[in-house]
Amino acid sequence: KTDSLDALGNTTAAMGKGFAVGSAVLTALSLLAAFKHEATKEKVLHFEIWDPILLAGTLLGAMLPFFFAALTMMSVGKAAAEMIDEVRRQFREIKNEKGITLLQAIQKVTATGSIADEDDVEPDSDRCVQISTRSSVKEMIAPGIYAVFTPLIAGFMVGPRML
């Protein structure tokens, strides 16, 4: 019974989000029309916001920052998941000379408040830095490519009016 209510709630939320996005586009279009009206009072500028190519370019340009933000958030999520896997591996596998794992050393410090130097276990922080550095470089390739090539593709395929 709760599954059907959950599905109904999800469907209602999705529909509400769809209406919100449609409303935001219409609001943006109205703001652009108002801007054109105010900007062309004293000077004659020849552009019509209703021109489909110009409107498509405007909407594409307005969408790109959100697209880049989404790509960046997904990249951070992937890097964080990889870092979590590495830390969990280190908790299980890294041991000191006595055979005490990193997790056991942390549990001992948590329980007693301190640990002897011979019981201490050093984590492999260099590996974590390597994962972070590699992920930051690798995951930012796609947003960089989109930032460079989107205007080029739009300009060459549709024309400079879209820019």
Side-chain angles (χ1 to χ4, degrees), residues 30-41:
S30 299
L31 285 171
L32 288 170
F35 170 75
K36 188 225 179 220
H37 178 71
E38 287 296 316
T40 59
K41 275 186 176 178

Side-chain angles (χ1 to χ4, degrees), residues 103-124:
L103 180 59
Q104 291 168 335
I106 290 172
Q107 289 171 339
K108 186 174 182 180
V109 168
T110 304
T112 64
S114 65
I115 192 169
D117 286 340
E118 62 270 1
D119 290 339
D120 198 9
V121 181
E122 288 293 320
D124 186 7

Side-chain angles (χ1 to χ4, degrees), residues 87-100:
V87 170
R88 286 179 179 163
R89 183 198 67 78
Q90 289 187 22
F91 280 167
R92 284 188 316 269
E93 297 175 8
I94 292 185
K95 298 179 181 178
N96 64 8
E97 298 83 28
K98 290 185 171 183
I100 297 174

